[in-house]
Amino acid sequence: MKRTVFFISDGTGITAEALGRSLLAQFEGIQFELITQPYINNAEKAHKLVQLINQTAEKDGSRPLLIDTIVDQSIRSIISLSNAMTMDVFSTFLAPLEEELGAHSSYSVGKTHALTKEKEDTYKARIDSVHYALDNDDGARTHHYDQADLILVGVSRCGKTPTCIYMALQFGVRAANYPITEDDLLDSELPKALRPYRHKIFGLTIDPERLASIRNERRPDSKYSSLKQCIREVEEVENLYRRHRIDFIDSTHHSIEEISTRILSQAGIERRFSPR
């Protein structure tokens, strides 16, 4: 089954898309074609959108789903004329909140993403954390580990870099990463640069066949990407983790979002801010 989904907003569309994707993820057997339409903020744009929705309904043979965060009631009235199953995020949640809080919502466009002093501070912290992750990627620098919230370790190509950048961008976590190399695995001790920071270390592991596939994209038909080499490295790095009582998780079947959240939860690391 295939259905078209429109995320509609008179602002950026980020809120509608984020909530919509979370809801749609619960329906694994359906293929969704996702279309985001931001800044639908006047009647002309609304009428053009209605035409697009109706054309899509005719082409698909089923009405599209429409998830919106439209604030302007006149624009919502136009869009309601379309042949779509409509879910209005704001009215669904704001009305019960108004009743509970005994106060009226401002119903203002762009409130979620408007830049305030608090958001300026969050933005700076986000950028600083991303810079830290990039500056301390792949063991390039180790003399700033005293500033790290977390040092992510693992064999090459197991997902350390994207995980560190995601944690920096979404949660403001200062995450460095250090690759455990073949030479490191010859020694039963932790690499010298990591020893003073044992309490900050968290490990990643990965299925050897998946690792070999990833490495083959980078260096095909090499010792580095051979299944035998990958099996040996994964076995030895897991033994290293156990020997030094380092918590670790398997990255094979999880998204970066899930890997990051699991790490922060297991490591007890506090988020500096909530994700965007």
Side-chain angles (χ1 to χ4, degrees):
M1 183 184 298
K2 177 183 176 182
R3 296 293 291 268
T4 301
V5 183
F6 286 87
F7 302 125
I8 310 301
S9 176
D10 38 19
T12 63
I14 293 173
T15 302
E17 186 172 348
L19 178 59
R21 285 179 179 273
S22 296
L23 294 171
L24 298 174
Q26 306 304 314
F27 300 90
E28 298 178 0
I30 301 176
Q31 179 184 353
F32 294 106
E33 180 179 350
L34 308 179
I35 300 173
T36 301
Q37 294 282 318
Y39 300 112
I40 305 299
N41 50 17
N42 60 46
E44 181 182 359
K45 290 180 181 179
H47 284 298
K48 287 183 179 179
L49 178 60
V50 169
Q51 292 179 0
L52 175 61
I53 293 171
N54 290 343
Q55 289 169 0
T56 302
E58 185 175 352
K59 180 188 71 174
D60 292 351
S62 60
R63 61 179 184 165
L65 310 179
L66 196 159
I67 299 173
D68 81 81
T69 54
I70 298 290
V71 172
D72 190 310
Q73 187 56 48
S74 63
I75 294 175
R76 294 205 74 257
S77 297
I78 296 171
I79 292 175
S80 69
L81 301 174
S82 64
N83 182 19
M85 185 274 186
T86 303
M87 289 164 280
D88 173 18
V89 174
F90 280 165
S91 67
T92 299
F93 296 106
L94 284 180
L97 278 172
E98 287 177 332
E99 183 176 351
E100 178 66 25
L101 298 174
H104 290 290
S105 162
S106 63
Y107 283 87
S108 299
V109 178
K111 279 282 187 180
T112 305
H113 306 287
L115 196 60
T116 62
K117 176 63 169 64
E118 181 182 357
K119 289 185 177 180
E120 286 181 355
D121 292 342
T122 296
Y123 179 79
K124 184 180 183 304
R126 194 189 304 278
I127 295 302
D128 288 346
S129 298
V130 171
H131 283 166
Y132 182 87
L134 294 173
D135 287 344
N136 295 274
D137 179 45
D138 213 25
R141 299 181 183 179
T142 59
H143 56 281
H144 291 149
Y145 281 0
D146 59 314
Q147 302 171 25
D149 298 312
L150 172 79
I151 303 170
L152 194 60
V153 301
V155 299
S156 172
R157 310 300 288 179
C158 68
K160 300 183 299 300
T161 296
T163 301
C164 286
I165 292 174
Y166 181 85
M167 287 191 288
L169 185 63
Q170 294 296 325
F171 305 119
V173 171
R174 289 189 298 269
N177 82 76
Y178 187 97
I180 303 297
T181 66
E182 189 172 10
D183 289 341
D184 293 325
L185 294 171
L186 296 175
D187 191 348
S188 62
E189 294 299 318
L190 286 171
K192 186 176 180 180
L194 297 178
R195 291 172 196 171
Y197 307 104
R198 162 67 190 79
H199 60 292
K200 296 184 178 184
I201 299 173
F202 199 97
L204 285 184
T205 188
I206 188 172
D207 177 76
E209 291 189 2
R210 174 61 179 154
L211 180 61
S213 174
I214 294 170
R215 287 183 173 184
N216 260 299
E217 294 177 3
R218 190 177 189 185
R219 298 184 199 168
D221 303 318
S222 64
K223 177 187 175 184
Y224 168 78
S225 62
S226 69
L227 181 58
K228 181 179 179 181
Q229 177 71 15
C230 292
I231 290 173
R232 189 176 75 81
E233 287 187 31
V234 169
E235 286 180 350
E236 292 186 6
V237 81
E238 289 184 4
N239 287 335
L240 182 73
Y241 296 154
R242 295 186 184 100
R243 189 159 53 244
H244 294 281
R245 297 182 180 179
I246 294 171
D247 287 341
F248 67 96
I249 61 173
D250 190 329
S251 65
T252 310
H253 301 297
H254 301 295
S255 66
I256 291 173
E257 294 89 342
E258 188 171 4
I259 293 168
S260 300
T261 304
R262 284 170 177 253
I263 289 172
L264 297 185
S265 176
Q266 285 187 226
I269 295 173
E270 186 175 347
R271 308 176 183 190
R272 286 191 171 82
F273 43 76
S274 299
R276 294 183 300 176

